[in-house]
Amino acid sequence: MGLKWFMTSLVAGLMASTVVANPLSSRTSTTRHKKRSCVKPCFNSPEDRSCWTPGWDIHTNFEEEVPITNVTRTYNLSITNVTSWDGADGVAKPVMLINGGFPGPTIEADWGDEVEIHVTNNLQHNGTSLHWHGIWQKYTNTMDGANGCTECPIPPGTTRTYKFLMRQYGTGWYHSHFSAQYGNGVVGMLKINGPASANYDVDLGPYPITDWYYDTADRLERASQFSDHGPPPDSDNVLFNGTHVNAEGGGRYAKTVLTPGKKHLLRLVNPSVDNTFTLSLVGHKFTVIAADFVPIEPVEKDTLFMTTGQRYDVIIEADQEIGNYWFNATLASSGMCGTTVIDHPAAIFSYEGAPEDELPTDPGAPVDAGCADETDLVPVVPKSAPRDDFLAHKNYLDVAVTLQPYGEKSVYRWKINDSDIDIEWGRPILEYVREGNYSWPRQANVIEVEEANVWTWWIIENGSRMPHPMHLHGHDTMLLGVGAGEFDPANHTDLLNFDNPTRRDVVQMPGSSWIAIAWRTDNPGVHLMHCHIAWHVSQGLSVQFLERSSEIAQTVDLHEIEPNCAAWREYEATAVYPKHDSGL
Ligand SMILES: *[C@@H]1O[C@H](CO)[C@@H](O)[C@H](O)[C@H]1NC(C)=O
Ligand SMILES: *[C@@H]1O[C@H](CO)[C@@H](O)[C@H](O)[C@H]1NC(C)=O
Ligand SMILES: *[C@@H]1O[C@H](CO)[C@@H](O)[C@H](O)[C@H]1NC(C)=O
Ligand SMILES: *[C@@H]1O[C@H](CO)[C@@H](O)[C@H](O)[C@H]1NC(C)=O
Ligand SMILES: *[C@@H]1O[C@H](CO)[C@@H](O)[C@H](O)[C@H]1NC(C)=O
Ligand SMILES: *[C@@H]1O[C@H](CO)[C@@H](O)[C@H](O)[C@H]1NC(C)=O
Ligand SMILES: *[C@@H]1O[C@H](CO)[C@@H](O)[C@H](O)[C@H]1NC(C)=O
Ligand SMILES: *[C@@H]1O[C@H](CO)[C@@H](O)[C@H](O)[C@H]1NC(C)=O
Ligand SMILES: *[C@@H]1O[C@H](CO)[C@@H](O)[C@H](O)[C@H]1NC(C)=O
Ligand SMILES: CC(=O)N[C@H]1CO[C@H](CO)[C@@H](O)[C@@H]1O
Ligand SMILES: [Cu+2]
């Protein structure tokens, strides 16, 4: 560690402001939370990753405090349409890319930095909008990138700037929220440096594992809604860090180099449109230290289940013989959690000094893959919720798949609380809020949550055999419990955990089951909650929570969205392609 780095950290740490800018001034809290902070000055190093800078560490309650650095990191992202691209697995296909690659550039920042991201839509015939998955956008709701909810899509040929503070740290990703467009490749990673709950030597960075289809997401989504079409398509490949061999024998395996004897931090991300994976590395274990953007008490796993949208920060210790090892992504045999035509998708983890051109030889023990979320994920910063309040104030949201006539045919629609969402790109709910107009269409699926700083309770019941990865914008959800069938308050309340349960931003709701989740109304704004299977949200599986609507205008300038909305409405009036799904 260089002296310059040390001095910079020291100065930044000493100057770090102790009060988080809070536009709701009546609620500004000036009291520092008591932290188990280091007795010695706290610096992040391989010997102590729990430290960050003096006064800031893994125990800091990051929901309430941020080490504001006054650093702004700037990125330019350009989204283009490429009719034939073979840069992933060697098979040419139509894509939409960010700065010409898949995944797009990693947005990297330190905890407490601000980012300013200029997004230019260089597509000819699609809008776009970029959502920063897992970032709460507290007091910056207009930056959430959920078109039809918090903004209008960015029309072709124009640029919009997203600017926000990194209140959280860890691993995330960003993606288009314009229909199923992210399935065409409009995806990138977020890496926010901060403390960690276990030590490591080397940060290997983000490692996305994703399904990959040779047809376009637009065509697949349109086809998969028809009842005579059969189940959603198999993915044609699974990419590891953007690459893999293909079914015809071309392409190449992704290869990651490990330093013998060292501990490596790997930031796993599942940016799929449909698939879930159970991950394993032959001969090695994963020490899991974060689930989504929430640091957890370190827990060791031989295999790790990761549904669409989720992330895991894991530490891999290179303590085996020097050699090449398979890193496998196993799919559930039920087919309910996605399917692929590729046999045993895998990547290579290679120790320095191992033979360069040899494939690993040990296939490892077969992995028993299911569709259920990991358990035993205990957040480092504990949060508990009041059990008594749950029974009095719980809400039900039932999910059901229905068939609706569509010309001569019929199409699937995913309903939640009896309505499939259908947002209007040119009329985001934030615009209604600015106008004080509460007469949005029923299919905006708006749920108003007005009371400030209270827990809200949601029991989501699943009327289908299919599991759904449920993602909430604007908050981490507390997962109180999961069970089969219908939720029965008399029989099931005792099974719920209110004492520091798992918190994260995507939870897997199993088929024919219920989940009980909770979140606190500490973030005025419009926040989507949706299934992260692209086909399901396209076909309606989403609501938008309108939280503390009367306070939103005190936290963000709602006029900010208007120039882009005006440009979008002008474009949409003569657009080549019409909107053909929920818009999300
Ligand atoms: C950031 O700027 C604020 C306001 O100018 C200042 O009070 C604070 O000390 C600065 N923090 C750092 C780490 O430079
Ligand atoms: C972004 O683009 C602008 C305008 O072309 C340019 O001035 C700036 O240097 C670019 N910034 C980065 C970080 O690439
Ligand atoms: C992408 O290019 C193809 C082929 O040139 C064209 O048909 C399609 O409309 C374009 N899509 C967008 C969104 O620009
Ligand atoms: C986006 O572009 C694709 C072609 O690239 C097209 O199939 C689709 O309909 C377009 N969607 C919208 C809403 O413009
Ligand atoms: C992922 O790929 C990028 C670009 O090729 C590379 O720089 C990075 O090291 C790779 N990450 C891992 C964990 O292998
Ligand atoms: C891992 O992938 C390799 C290469 O496809 C395969 O031979 C091996 O059987 C797989 N192992 C597991 C545990 O899935
Ligand atoms: C579900 O929809 C009904 C009818 O629109 C509404 O009265 C009810 O409040 C909704 N449920 C929730 C939890 O918002
Ligand atoms: C509210 O917005 C809707 C949809 O744009 C519009 O039809 C209606 O007239 C507006 N209501 C008021 C009171 O402005
Ligand atoms: C609770 O479960 C028992 C056994 O499964 C069942 O007989 C009983 O009806 C359930 N209670 C309620 C209130 O549904
Ligand atoms: C809302 C809803 O459809 N709930 C169903 C969820 O699944 C169980 C078991 O299949 C059914 O009993 C519920 O009716
Ligand atoms: Cu779903």
Side-chain angles (χ1 to χ4, degrees):
M1 206 61 55
L3 180 64
K4 182 158 175 284
W5 180 90
F6 182 90
M7 291 308 292
T8 312
S9 311
L10 181 64
V11 170
L14 293 176
M15 289 173 68
S17 81
T18 53
V19 182
V20 176
N22 182 346
L24 303 178
S25 51
S26 62
R27 285 189 188 76
T28 298
S29 151
T30 48
T31 39
R32 287 295 295 273
H33 273 247
K34 192 161 161 22
K35 299 188 291 262
R36 212 193 314 162
S37 47
C38 307
V39 181
K40 293 177 291 181
C42 189
F43 297 107
N44 190 264
S45 74
E47 287 73 43
D48 192 353
R49 294 290 181 193
S50 73
C51 280
W52 185 237
T53 51
W56 303 92
D57 61 34
I58 192 76
H59 300 287
T60 301
N61 183 352
F62 57 93
E63 291 191 13
E64 290 178 16
E65 302 178 280
V66 190
I68 293 181
T69 60
N70 297 328
V71 170
T72 301
R73 309 232 195 177
T74 306
Y75 288 88
N76 290 342
L77 304 181
S78 159
I79 304 173
T80 56
N81 183 20
V82 183
T83 0
S84 178
W85 189 72
D86 66 0
D89 63 354
V91 176
K93 55 156 291 193
V95 287
M96 296 178 189
L97 300 178
I98 306 177
N99 292 7
F102 178 85
T106 295
I107 305 288
E108 183 171 355
D110 286 346
W111 184 24
D113 286 353
E114 194 172 50
V115 289
E116 189 178 289
I117 306 167
H118 307 285
V119 178
T120 303
N121 179 359
N122 284 315
L123 302 168
Q124 298 90 336
H125 299 304
N126 267 190
T128 195
S129 79
L130 290 191
H131 169 61
W132 319 94
H133 182 118
I135 304 277
W136 306 318
Q137 299 295 359
K138 202 170 186 175
Y139 315 131
T140 48
N141 190 235
T142 51
M143 300 296 158
D144 194 47
N147 48 201
C149 311
T150 59
E151 69 175 51
C152 294
I154 307 166
T158 69
T159 300
R160 96 149 271 202
T161 299
Y162 295 89
K163 195 170 179 181
F164 50 92
L165 180 65
M166 295 302 198
R167 293 172 181 273
Q168 300 146 274
Y169 56 86
T171 307
W173 61 300
Y174 62 94
H175 61 83
S176 168
H177 231 302
F178 184 85
S179 292
Q181 190 180 72
Y182 85 87
N184 291 326
V186 187
V187 167
M189 302 294 118
L190 299 173
K191 174 175 184 270
I192 313 166
N193 305 308
S197 65
N199 293 341
Y200 59 85
D201 302 297
V202 182
D203 184 347
L204 293 171
Y207 192 80
I209 302 153
T210 183
D211 49 19
W212 189 248
Y213 299 79
Y214 297 149
D215 205 348
T216 69
D218 309 274
R219 277 198 292 261
L220 291 169
E221 184 273 313
R222 259 176 285 203
S224 69
Q225 66 182 327
F226 289 101
S227 60
D228 59 4
H229 181 267
D234 293 333
S235 83
D236 296 296
N237 209 338
V238 172
L239 304 182
F240 297 81
N241 198 22
T243 188
H244 196 212
V245 294
N246 64 53
E248 271 68 58
R252 61 181 176 86
Y253 286 106
K255 194 168 177 179
T256 300
V257 176
L258 300 179
T259 307
K262 298 288 183 194
K263 291 179 174 165
H264 301 77
L265 172 64
L266 186 67
R267 300 163 177 271
L268 299 166
V269 182
N270 182 352
S272 292
V273 293
D274 190 15
N275 283 54
T276 66
F277 308 109
T278 299
L279 307 172
S280 55
L281 176 59
V282 173
H284 297 76
K285 291 179 192 300
F286 302 122
T287 302
V288 187
I289 60 166
D292 300 343
F293 274 131
V294 180
I296 61 166
E297 299 294 346
V299 55
E300 214 171 64
K301 306 260 180 187
D302 291 317
T303 68
L304 196 56
F305 172 82
M306 191 165 63
T307 195
T308 304
Q310 287 182 334
R311 288 88 65 210
Y312 282 112
D313 287 355
V314 302
I315 294 171
I316 296 167
E317 188 166 6
D319 57 0
Q320 298 299 302
E321 266 176 55
I322 289 181
N324 296 314
Y325 295 88
W326 287 120
F327 178 95
N328 296 92
T330 308
L331 279 78
S333 56
S334 67
M336 281 286 175
C337 288
T339 46
T340 178
V341 301
I342 285 283
D343 192 31
H344 290 305
I348 299 169
F349 276 59
S350 177
Y351 282 53
E352 264 166 29
E356 290 267 330
D357 297 319
E358 283 174 24
L359 293 181
T361 47
D362 182 353
V367 170
D368 184 17
C371 290
D373 249 344
E374 292 293 333
T375 53
D376 315 322
L377 307 174
V378 180
V380 172
V381 176
K383 304 264 171 202
S384 296
R387 175 183 288 267
D388 296 345
D389 199 46
F390 168 81
L391 281 177
H393 294 116
K394 62 189 182 326
N395 302 284
Y396 287 88
L397 290 171
D398 288 350
V399 170
V401 62
T402 60
L403 271 179
Q404 262 164 230
Y406 189 93
E408 311 261 276
K409 299 192 172 194
S410 59
V411 289
Y412 290 115
R413 287 294 176 262
W414 287 94
K415 300 204 175 200
I416 176 160
N417 197 26
D418 212 24
S419 174
D420 51 314
I421 203 169
D422 184 13
I423 54 96
E424 291 178 279
W425 280 326
R427 197 79 172 106
I429 295 304
L430 276 187
E431 193 173 61
Y432 284 88
V433 170
R434 182 175 66 72
E435 293 168 1
N437 177 346
Y438 284 67
S439 305
W440 43 75
R442 168 69 177 110
Q443 275 184 288
N445 280 14
V446 172
I447 299 178
E448 286 181 74
V449 184
E450 284 304 331
E451 206 181 333
N453 297 310
V454 293
W455 286 96
T456 59
W457 315 96
W458 308 91
I459 297 159
I460 311 176
E461 286 184 321
N462 186 7
S464 84
R465 284 159 52 236
M466 193 107 49
H468 301 284
M470 298 302 292
H471 170 50
L472 177 64
H473 294 205
H475 296 275
D476 290 324
T477 54
M478 251 188 198
L479 180 58
L480 306 172
V482 184
E486 276 177 86
F487 183 79
D488 169 0
N491 279 357
H492 294 145
T493 304
D494 285 350
L495 302 178
L496 302 181
N497 178 12
F498 294 87
D499 183 18
N500 199 24
T502 297
R503 290 196 308 276
R504 62 187 316 171
D505 59 62
V506 183
V507 298
Q508 176 85 337
M509 177 167 69
S512 307
S513 293
W514 54 267
I515 55 171
I517 61 171
W519 48 270
R520 202 172 154 78
T521 54
D522 57 10
N523 186 10
V526 172
H527 308 297
L528 275 180
M529 181 175 74
H530 63 92
C531 173
H532 222 297
I533 294 176
W535 323 135
H536 292 174
V537 67
S538 271
Q539 293 157 22
L541 214 177
S542 178
V543 293
Q544 36 186 340
F545 292 112
L546 174 53
E547 178 178 341
R548 295 165 64 176
S549 63
S550 62
E551 294 171 272
I552 298 173
Q554 297 165 41
T555 66
V556 278
D557 178 6
L558 289 176
H559 295 273
E560 260 171 24
I561 67 173
E562 289 312 329
N564 184 57
C565 275
W568 170 259
R569 287 191 281 252
E570 194 186 325
Y571 161 78
E572 196 178 27
T574 58
V576 169
Y577 299 107
K579 177 167 169 288
H580 49 77
D581 69 354
S582 71
L584 295 169

